[in-house]
């Protein structure tokens, strides 16, 4: 009997062990999602139950102005990015002109420049004391500002242009990908019916690409809502600037949470409108969507127009800022390269690297858990885990500081009562808070990338591995991770660069006497020492070029060209 029992038990326990292991993955995913969603719940709770309710005061004084200015800024940036993104994507995809292959990837270069960096650069160039106005005064003999009119760079219009110049690649990227996926037969049929290239674009191509364009535009508007460096430097009173003022200057965390909740409402509206715009659209890949595209041949003047349309955003959004930063960095290199710069560079590399690895580990856990449990509940968990990417950095900082500070106070009180030792601000006063905020904000990037790559791996690979006695964990390590190496590296690089550029959350959550390259640049710019901010700003820009190259290659390889 004992021999029979021992011969049967292994076969019976194998499915049971596999089921228990699978449940562990599900539990890990649920626990991770709960932790990631904690900042959102904290913001909402603090907004409804503040220690000092200043909501009526905000409604009567500053909040309407913040709302109006934010809406104007988002509308202006949205219009600029739509015009630039759609026109350039259409030109490089469907028109043949000199330099087209160069502009295919060069249009993404402004992506590498944070909005606050380009704002600092153009302020130094176009301000009254800058070289542009100085040259105009020398040429025309003007002596003071009353002698001539020059557009004010530090204004709502200036902020709109600066942010639009670096965010249009969102629309360009997704619109171009949508154009490449469309069937060439659609263009041929449209042209055979007598439609011009422009008419084909508006009546055929754009309606089909609308879902992708809507996603790109929603990302632009969320990034506009998140911006702080530009609006603060230009003294534009948006919701983000109001949140900082209410918290940092007035010292009212509850009021800041109420403004943060208002910003969350903006995010919910944007996401809802984006999904509503494509609720009834269902598209399928055409059989000839991999056939070479027959581009429009144009006259020489029209080719020059295409070159100008593509060149102007690149020159304004990348070339001029890049050259200016390079010149300033070279001239002030001796003063800029100092122990503070080295220390702050290390801080940025450490925080960004740690956050990239953390988001990668959590992203793999979530994506693989969904592969093991592809249920409706798991889909909800995946969506909840990506909430952070839609949250502005300032809002996320409020949501992070509340639970961490509460835990720190509880632990400190406990240690004082029982051991007579003070632990201080163990989590909220250390770099942990920044890494946690980075992880929550950019988790969707890594999790989404890994999930998409896992879907391309046939389930038969898992079955074969499990039939050989491997657990889900061993299957992940031995089978999936080696196949996902390229995806993991790309996702880690994108998160790394995003963390390098993140300013609002870092400003709020950084410990005392702790700076990153982003906050280092912000401090110099706030002190009107723009020349000394050039070297750290240039490092951020150069780091941002890496994912641009990767994105450009991935898009260019999606389809052959004629």
């Amino acid at each position: 009997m004992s021999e029979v029992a021992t011969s049967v038990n292994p076969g019976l326990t194998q499915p049971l062990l596999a089921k228990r292991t699978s449940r562990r993955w599900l539990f890990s995913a649920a626990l991770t999602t709960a932790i990631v969603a904690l900042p959102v719940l904290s913001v909402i709770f603090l907004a409804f139950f503040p220690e000092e309710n200043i909501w009526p005061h905000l409604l009567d004084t500053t909040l309407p102005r913040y709302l109006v200015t934010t809406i104007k800024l988002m509308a202006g940036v949205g219009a600029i990015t739509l015009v630039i993104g759609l026109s350039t994507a259409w030109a490089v995809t469907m028109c043949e002109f000199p330099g087209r292959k160069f502009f295919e990837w060069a249009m993404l270069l402004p992506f590498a420049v944070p909005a606050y960096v380009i704002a600092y650069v153009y302020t130094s160039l176009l301000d009254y004391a800058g070289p542009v106005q100085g040259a105009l005064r020398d040429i025309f003999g003007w002596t003071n500002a009353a002698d001539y009119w020059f557009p004010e760079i530090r204004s709502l219009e200036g902020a709109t242009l600066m942010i639009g110049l670096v965010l249009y690649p969102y629309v360009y990227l997704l619109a171009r990908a949508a154009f490449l996926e469309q069937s060439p037969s659609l263009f041929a049929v449209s042209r055979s019916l007598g439609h011009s290239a422009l008419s084909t674009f508006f009546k055929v191509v754009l309606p089909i690409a609308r879902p992708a364009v809507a996603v790109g535009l929603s990302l632009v508007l969320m990034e506009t809502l998140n911006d702080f460096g530009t609006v603060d430097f230009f003294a534009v009173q948006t919701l983000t600037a109001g949140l900082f003022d209410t918290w940092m200057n007035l010292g009212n965390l509850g009021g800041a949470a109420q403004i943060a909740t208002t910003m969350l409402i903006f995010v919910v509206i944007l996401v809802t409108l984006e999904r509503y715009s494509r609720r009834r659209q269902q598209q399928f890949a055409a059989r000839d969507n991999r056939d070479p595209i027959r581009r429009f041949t144009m006259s020489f003047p029209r080719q020059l127009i295409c070159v100008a349309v593509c060149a102007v955003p690149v020159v304004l959004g990348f070339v001029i800022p890049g050259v200016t930063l390079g010149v300033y960095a070279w001239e002030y290199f001796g003063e800029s390269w100092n122990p503070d710069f080295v220390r702050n560079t290390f801080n940025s590399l450490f925080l960004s690297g740690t956050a990239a690895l953390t988001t990668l580990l959590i992203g793999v856990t979530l994506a693989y858990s969904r592969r093991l449990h592809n249920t409706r509940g798991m889909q909800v968990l995946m969506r909840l885990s990506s909430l952070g990417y839609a949250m502005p950095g300032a809002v996320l900082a409020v949501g992070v500081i509340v639970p961490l500070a509460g835990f720190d106070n509880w632990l400190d009180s406990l240690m004082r009562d029982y051991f007579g030792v003070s632990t201080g601000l163990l989590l909220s006063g250390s770099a942990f808070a920044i890494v946690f905020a980075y992880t929550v904000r950019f988790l969707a990037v890594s999790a989404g990338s890994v999930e998409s790559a896992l879907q391309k791996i046939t389930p038969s690979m898992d079955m074969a591995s499990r039939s050989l006695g491997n657990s889900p964990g061993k299957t992940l390590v031995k089978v999936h991770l080696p196949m996902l190496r390229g995806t993991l590296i790309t996702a880690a690089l994108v998160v790394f660069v995003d963390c390098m550029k993140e300013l609002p959350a870092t400003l709020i959550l950084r410990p005392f006497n702790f700076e990153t390259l982003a906050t280092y640049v912000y401090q110099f710019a706030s002190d009107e020492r723009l020349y000394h901010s050039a070297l750290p700003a240039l490092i951020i820009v150069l780091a941002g070029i890496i994912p641009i190259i990767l994105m450009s290659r991935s898009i260019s390889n999606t389809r052959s060209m004629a």
Side-chain angles (χ1 to χ4, degrees):
M1 290 295 293
S2 61
E3 292 179 357
V4 173
T6 54
S7 63
V8 173
N9 280 341
L12 292 175
T13 57
Q14 188 72 18
L16 182 61
L17 289 174
K19 189 174 183 180
R20 287 180 179 176
T21 305
S22 183
R23 286 179 176 175
R24 291 173 187 170
W25 284 93
L26 182 61
F27 175 76
S28 300
L31 180 61
T32 301
T33 303
I35 295 175
V36 169
L38 185 60
V40 181
L41 300 177
S42 299
V43 170
I44 297 175
F45 177 82
L46 187 59
F48 282 97
F49 304 100
E51 292 184 3
E52 180 183 358
N53 185 18
I54 63 170
W55 181 251
H57 174 72
L58 290 173
L59 282 177
D60 293 337
T61 55
T62 57
L63 189 60
R65 182 170 67 252
Y66 293 153
L67 285 171
V68 172
T69 306
T70 301
I71 292 173
K72 287 182 179 179
L73 181 66
M74 294 172 69
V77 172
I80 290 175
T81 54
L82 274 180
V83 172
I84 298 178
L86 289 176
S87 60
T88 53
W90 174 252
V92 300
T93 305
M94 297 305 303
C95 302
E96 193 62 61
F97 59 93
R100 181 190 58 79
K101 290 186 177 180
F102 166 77
F103 286 116
E104 281 183 357
W105 63 269
M107 297 306 307
L108 295 172
L109 287 176
F111 231 161
V113 186
Y116 56 86
V117 170
I118 196 175
Y120 303 156
V121 169
Y122 276 102
T123 298
S124 68
L125 294 176
L126 302 179
D127 217 3
Y128 179 80
V132 174
Q133 291 200 49
L136 290 176
R137 289 193 296 270
D138 293 339
I139 293 173
F140 295 101
W142 297 325
T143 57
N144 54 62
D147 295 337
Y148 63 98
W149 176 86
F150 195 85
E152 178 58 51
I153 184 65
R154 297 196 186 194
S155 61
L156 175 61
E157 294 76 16
T160 302
L161 180 60
M162 296 298 101
I163 298 174
L165 283 175
V166 298
L167 293 186
Y168 80 82
Y170 276 115
V171 177
Y172 167 82
L173 196 66
L174 294 173
R176 182 169 174 249
F179 295 160
L180 287 172
E181 289 297 323
Q182 293 184 17
S183 170
S185 61
L186 291 174
F187 311 136
V189 171
S190 178
R191 298 304 296 274
S192 68
L193 294 175
H195 291 290
S196 63
L198 189 63
S199 177
T200 299
F201 171 75
F202 283 108
K203 294 184 178 181
V204 178
V205 177
L206 189 56
I208 296 177
R210 190 180 68 183
V213 175
V215 173
L217 182 60
S218 64
L219 291 173
V220 166
L221 297 180
M222 283 189 230
E223 287 296 329
T224 304
L225 188 64
N226 177 58
D227 182 84
F228 172 72
T230 306
V231 297
D232 177 67
F233 191 64
F234 284 1
V236 177
Q237 296 182 327
T238 62
L239 286 170
T240 306
L243 188 154
F244 271 81
D245 182 64
T246 303
W247 189 355
M248 299 301 182
N249 296 332
L250 299 181
N252 193 303
L253 184 57
Q258 290 169 340
I259 296 178
T261 304
T262 306
M263 297 173 70
L264 281 179
I265 294 174
F266 267 82
V267 172
V268 171
I269 292 174
L270 288 174
V271 174
T272 303
L273 289 177
E274 181 269 320
R275 292 188 176 180
Y276 181 82
S277 67
R278 54 187 175 94
R279 68 194 186 285
R280 294 181 179 177
Q281 287 201 355
Q282 189 174 14
Q283 300 172 8
F284 301 93
R287 294 181 179 179
D288 60 345
N289 71 334
R290 296 294 174 183
D291 293 344
I293 292 177
R294 303 292 177 181
R295 295 190 179 86
F296 300 118
T297 56
M298 300 176 296
S299 61
F300 183 70
R302 291 187 176 183
Q303 291 182 15
L304 291 181
I305 293 176
C306 287
V307 172
V309 167
C310 294
V312 170
V314 176
V315 171
L316 294 179
F318 181 79
V319 176
I320 292 179
V323 171
T324 304
L325 290 175
V327 172
Y328 290 166
W330 178 262
E331 291 181 354
Y332 292 86
F333 183 82
E335 300 177 33
S336 300
W337 188 277
N338 52 47
D340 288 339
F341 169 76
V342 175
R343 182 175 60 255
N344 296 333
T345 302
F346 172 79
N347 291 341
S348 288
L349 296 176
F350 170 75
L351 292 177
S352 301
T354 304
L357 291 177
T358 305
T359 55
L360 210 57
L361 290 174
I362 298 176
V364 170
T365 301
L366 289 173
Y368 193 60
S369 298
R370 182 175 181 182
R371 184 178 179 88
L372 297 176
H373 299 273
N374 192 16
T375 61
R376 185 179 297 273
M378 193 62 217
Q379 293 175 4
V380 172
L381 291 179
M382 287 293 294
R383 288 188 178 181
L384 289 175
S385 67
S386 62
L387 281 176
Y389 195 66
M391 293 177 64
V395 176
L396 185 61
V398 175
V400 166
I401 202 69
V402 172
L404 293 188
F407 175 82
D408 284 340
N409 292 332
W410 171 81
L411 181 63
D412 184 70
S413 176
L414 185 69
M415 296 297 289
R416 284 174 181 270
D417 293 341
Y418 287 93
F419 301 100
V421 177
S422 174
T423 57
L425 301 177
L426 190 63
L427 299 181
S428 60
S430 66
F432 176 85
I434 304 179
V435 174
F436 180 50
Y438 287 170
T439 303
V440 174
R441 176 151 168 72
F442 301 115
L443 176 60
V445 176
S446 61
S449 301
V450 175
E451 182 184 11
S452 177
L454 277 175
Q455 290 175 350
K456 298 177 183 178
I457 300 177
T458 174
S460 61
M461 303 282 290
D462 300 63
M463 297 177 186
S465 177
R466 300 294 293 277
S467 67
L468 295 174
N470 291 323
S471 65
K474 289 184 178 180
T475 300
L476 173 65
V477 174
K478 294 182 177 180
V479 179
H480 295 307
L481 290 185
M483 300 177 68
L484 297 174
R485 184 174 57 182
T487 299
L488 296 178
I489 294 175
T490 302
L493 282 174
V494 173
V495 173
F496 179 85
V497 173
D498 283 338
C499 294
M500 289 275 289
K501 297 191 293 183
E502 175 62 32
L503 178 63
T506 313
L507 274 176
I508 294 176
L509 298 174
R510 58 183 172 157
F512 294 110
N513 298 321
F514 187 93
E515 302 284 350
T516 65
L517 286 177
T519 61
Y520 196 47
V521 172
Y522 171 79
Q523 293 296 341
F524 275 126
S526 300
D527 296 337
E528 300 293 338
R529 300 167 64 189
L530 299 174
Y531 300 106
H532 296 85
S533 69
L535 183 60
L538 188 62
I539 298 298
I540 296 175
V541 172
L542 293 177
I545 295 178
I546 299 174
I548 287 175
I549 297 174
L550 296 175
M551 285 188 292
S552 179
R553 286 182 177 179
S554 65
I555 294 177
S556 298
N557 293 333
T558 58
R559 184 167 182 166
S560 58
M561 297 293 172

